[in-house]
Amino acid sequence: IESCLKIADHEKTCLIAKNIAEFKKAILKLESQSLRERIGKQARLFAWNQYTPENIGEKWLSLLPSVSG
């Protein structure tokens, strides 16, 4: 979960809850269609920008020299 918190952006790409009370508030916030749509669009954009095949390929290629000896 710690690694997710490093890339999560509360109320921009997701809703983060640290306890049950915050979880309940987050769920209730999702009644807002505009909030759901905004978070969904931002999350898709973030995922596309970070995890395109080109980006992932470049990361793997940069790791190969260090593991191939």
Side-chain angles (χ1 to χ4, degrees):
I1 292 181
E2 288 298 318
S3 61
C4 292
L5 292 176
K6 290 179 183 177
I7 62 170
D9 194 349
H10 181 61
E11 293 191 353
K12 184 175 179 188
T13 58
C14 65
L15 295 176
I16 299 171
K18 296 179 181 176
N19 55 50
I20 296 297
E22 289 182 10
F23 184 74
K24 180 180 177 181
K25 287 180 185 178
I27 295 297
L28 292 174
K29 283 183 178 183
L30 291 175
E31 289 181 10
S32 166
Q33 181 176 349
S34 63
L35 178 66
R36 292 191 313 266
E37 289 174 354
R38 183 174 52 81
I39 288 176
K41 286 177 184 176
Q42 290 297 318
R44 278 190 299 279
L45 182 62
F46 174 81
W48 178 253
N49 289 333
Q50 295 297 311
Y51 304 109
T52 63
E54 293 81 12
N55 286 342
I56 297 300
E58 288 176 20
K59 289 176 184 177
W60 277 104
L61 288 174
S62 70
L63 288 173
L64 287 178
S66 65
V67 297
S68 64

